[in-house]
Amino acid sequence: MVLGASEGTGREFARQLAAEGIPSVLIARRKVPLEQLKAEIAGDYGVECVSAIVDLALGDAPERIVEAVGDREVGLLICNAGGDPNGKLFLDVELAAWRELIQRNVVTTLAVCHHVAKPMRTRGRGGILLVNSGACYGSAATMGPYSGSKAFMLGFAEGLWADLQPHGVDVLTLVLGRTDTPEFRRFLADKGMDMPADVWSAADVARLGLERLPHGPIHNVGQADDEPGMSPQSAAERRARVVAVSRITAQLYGTEN
């Protein structure tokens, strides 16, 4: 299942899975590009996908996604939606817009992961890939709610990885830098800015995410596993910390996996 599948990295995830013969449940809020993607995948790869029009920023999004999935076995969940369409100071945006961002990036993600991870744990296999942003490591002006939501995703992914790894379920948060997506292009156009030179293509980001899925809980795009950059700690160092702290919490709370 791919959330935010209609364009950008979400679209590329769906296409690359279809190229391997894997169908997806495609979720997005815009009907036309979603239906175009569904038809394109059927034509190019002979793979029939299921699609559902759901606005992930609305309170009923988790229930509508669960309804779309039905009794299908979800072997891989990719949460790809979650950009910041605002790019403004906190007080210069209506509170409702920030609430929608938190619903999409935090509440919907949490609920959908809870729904699909239970049967994955029971089956002893599966994967969850949460597409993240370098904003998860620290905030700045105009970035408060967005950065906070991405910091939640980082901590959540690390904990979920520790919970599910002993049961054969992979969890990865893929931390992006600047990526050439339609959303990023719209943002730059709105600000009158040119596309920077050091951007990744959406196809390369999706390919990397699928390759790194077994090596969670974090991968920083453009950096080696043992290389700091976006964060003072490398992905490998953060992984070691999660393992060490998990041993302590297991003893404290009696939650040995």
Side-chain angles (χ1 to χ4, degrees):
M1 179 163 59
V2 183
L3 305 188
S6 60
E7 65 178 28
T9 51
R11 181 178 184 277
E12 289 298 330
F13 276 119
R15 283 186 54 83
Q16 291 181 27
L17 290 170
E20 299 297 325
I22 302 171
S24 298
V25 178
L26 308 173
I27 306 289
R29 64 180 175 84
R30 292 184 296 143
K31 181 177 181 178
V32 172
L34 194 62
E35 291 301 315
Q36 288 175 341
L37 173 62
K38 182 180 175 181
E40 183 181 300
I41 286 174
D44 291 349
Y45 306 111
V47 172
E48 296 296 331
C49 293
V50 173
S51 63
I53 311 304
V54 180
D55 187 340
L56 304 178
L58 298 182
D60 66 348
E63 290 75 18
R64 294 185 62 191
I65 292 168
V66 169
E67 181 181 356
V69 171
D71 59 0
R72 296 175 182 87
E73 178 179 316
V74 178
L76 172 63
L77 169 65
I78 298 175
C79 293
N80 176 76
D84 178 10
N86 302 303
K88 296 179 181 178
L89 298 172
F90 175 63
L91 295 180
D92 293 342
V93 177
E94 292 297 321
L95 182 58
W98 294 129
R99 283 177 166 163
E100 288 180 354
L101 184 148
I102 298 302
Q103 175 71 40
R104 180 175 61 246
N105 291 8
V106 177
V107 180
T108 298
T109 297
L110 185 76
V112 176
C113 285
H114 194 272
H115 177 73
V116 303
K118 277 190 173 182
M120 287 180 182
R121 184 177 66 175
T122 300
R123 291 192 302 264
R125 65 181 185 274
I128 296 173
L129 199 163
L130 308 179
V131 178
N132 210 331
S133 162
C136 70
Y137 292 126
S139 194
T142 75
M143 291 176 57
Y146 175 69
S147 178
S149 72
K150 293 303 182 179
F152 166 83
M153 181 177 285
L154 175 65
F156 173 56
E158 289 179 325
L160 190 61
W161 175 81
D163 286 352
L164 295 179
Q165 187 197 28
H167 301 281
V169 180
D170 296 318
V171 178
L172 176 74
T173 185
L174 183 68
V175 183
L176 276 56
R178 291 185 286 196
T179 306
D180 187 357
T181 65
E183 179 69 22
F184 188 43
R185 286 179 176 268
R186 286 191 290 267
F187 178 84
L188 292 176
D190 183 60
K191 303 299 180 184
M193 300 169 64
D194 296 326
M195 177 67 70
D198 58 338
V199 295
W200 278 62
S201 73
D204 286 343
V205 165
R207 188 174 301 109
L208 180 64
L210 294 173
E211 290 173 355
R212 294 301 304 176
L213 179 59
H215 309 290
I218 303 166
H219 183 74
N220 298 310
V221 173
Q223 297 170 209
D225 191 57
D226 61 352
E227 177 187 5
M230 295 187 192
S231 166
Q233 289 182 308
S234 68
E237 289 170 329
R238 291 191 68 98
R239 183 184 305 114
R241 177 192 173 279
V242 172
V243 171
V245 175
S246 294
R247 292 196 189 103
I248 296 171
T249 57
Q251 293 170 356
L252 284 174
Y253 303 121
T255 55
E256 294 279 358
N257 274 304

